[in-house]
Amino acid sequence: ALGRFLEAVRAGDIKPGSILLVEALDRISREGVAKAQRLFHEILEGGVEIVCLYPYEMKFNRDSLNDLVGLLIPLIAFHL
């Protein structure tokens, strides 16, 4: 389902400002840190915000890509 979502983002069918809600960041990808990081960046670059609920509610948007400290949380989650 995530693949179809990404295709819709690329095609412009998912409008900027939309939100992808995930239970936890590790749900974005189970294929390692590098792949998960690329997907995370692609979604945010497409203007879609990512909101995760666990371990606490966090919201990421395009501006988050410039927050080095804030990016550590997703990287650690992708590693786990």
Side-chain angles (χ1 to χ4, degrees):
L2 184 59
R4 289 191 307 268
F5 178 81
L6 287 171
E7 288 300 321
V9 170
R10 291 179 191 128
D13 296 333
I14 306 290
K15 301 299 180 204
S18 297
I19 295 173
L20 172 63
L21 179 65
V22 295
E23 179 183 1
L25 288 172
D26 66 353
R27 300 290 191 236
I28 291 177
S29 177
R30 302 278 178 151
E31 297 186 39
V33 175
K35 174 123 176 134
Q37 183 181 15
R38 282 193 302 274
L39 292 172
F40 184 79
H41 279 247
E42 184 175 353
I43 292 166
L44 297 180
E45 286 290 341
V48 176
E49 296 181 355
I50 298 173
V51 174
C52 75
L53 302 176
Y54 180 83
Y56 53 88
E57 189 173 317
M58 294 178 278
K59 182 177 180 179
F60 301 93
N61 57 35
R62 193 179 281 155
D63 293 336
S64 301
L65 296 173
N66 295 314
D67 178 8
L68 179 61
V69 174
L71 286 175
L72 291 176
I73 293 170
L75 288 174
I76 292 168
F78 300 148
H79 175 71
L80 296 175

